[in-house]
Amino acid sequence: MKRLLLLSGPMASGKTSVAVALQEGYGFVPISSSTFLRAQLAARNMPADRQSLQELGDCLDKVSDFSWLINSVASPVIVAQPHIDNWLLDAVRKPRQVEQFKLQFAGLVRHVHITASESVLQQRYAERGAANLAQYRAAVLHPNEQSARSLAGLADQVLDIEAFTPLEIADHILSAWEK
C-alpha cells in the first residue's frame, strides 16, 4: 500500500463526489464502512437507516476503542488485496478514528476534510427530496454529525466544495500528497 486517504466532512459536503473523482482519476479503491455496518444490521434483522447505522457505529466505537473501523473493515480489505496502492475511506466521523488510522498506518495516511457553507449543505441535501430538509435539520444535531464537522481541525487539508469541483479537489489532494 502506498497511500490511505481518509475523507471527512458534513453530510452533503460532496465526499462521495470527491471519492468518485479520486477513483476515476487516480485509481483509488474505496473501503466501505457502511457496507460493513449494513451487513451487521441485516444479520440482526434491524433496519439500515441513518439512525441505526449511527447507533451501531457508536456501539462499535465504544466496545473497540474506535478500532473496529481498522480491524473489521479497512485492514481485512487491504490485506486481501496487497497489490492495491491507493485506498480511500470516505467515512471517518470521529477524532479517535483518525488517530487510530494514523497510529496503525503511520506515514501512509492523509486526512482531508471536505466542507461547504451551511446554506450550501442544506441546499444540496434538500435536492435529494422535499422531505429531506427536515431530516437534514434533525441529523445535523446528532453527535456523529457534530463530530464529523469538528474534524476540520485535525485534517491535513481542508477543501471547500464551493471553491473547487470534485475533480479539482482530487487534484489538490494528490498535489499536496506528492510534495
Side-chain angles (χ1 to χ4, degrees), residues 59-74:
C59 179
L60 293 172
D61 284 340
K62 288 176 188 168
V63 300
S64 72
D65 186 28
F66 299 87
S67 66
W68 70 273
L69 198 50
I70 292 173
N71 296 335
S72 298
V73 180

Side-chain angles (χ1 to χ4, degrees), residues 117-149:
S117 67
E118 188 61 30
S119 62
V120 167
L121 295 173
Q122 285 183 21
Q123 177 186 354
R124 291 172 63 110
Y125 204 87
E127 288 171 358
R128 298 175 183 177
N132 288 336
L133 191 53
Q135 293 171 354
Y136 173 84
R137 289 184 178 132
V140 165
L141 300 175
H142 194 281
N144 279 336
E145 179 63 13
Q146 294 297 311
S147 180
R149 289 169 178 241

Side-chain angles (χ1 to χ4, degrees), residues 3 26 28 41 68 75 88-89 104 106 111 114 117 119 122 129 135 144 171 175:
R3 328 174 218 261
Y26 293 101
F28 275 79
L41 289 170
W68 70 273
S75 289
L88 166 66
L89 181 70
Q104 178 137 348
H111 170 214
I114 308 299
S117 67
S119 62
Q122 285 183 21
Q135 293 171 354
N144 279 336
D171 292 343
S175 294

Side-chain angles (χ1 to χ4, degrees), residues 32-69 72-73 91 93-94 97 142-144:
S32 177
S33 60
S34 62
T35 299
F36 174 81
L37 292 172
R38 287 180 204 290
Q40 296 295 310
L41 289 170
R44 299 170 188 187
N45 292 318
M46 296 176 65
D49 58 21
R50 178 179 290 279
Q51 183 177 351
S52 297
L53 291 165
Q54 288 175 330
E55 289 174 5
L56 178 57
D58 287 346
C59 179
L60 293 172
D61 284 340
K62 288 176 188 168
V63 300
S64 72
D65 186 28
F66 299 87
S67 66
W68 70 273
L69 198 50
S72 298
V73 180
R93 313 275 311 155
K94 298 179 182 157
Q97 291 172 339
H142 194 281
N144 279 336

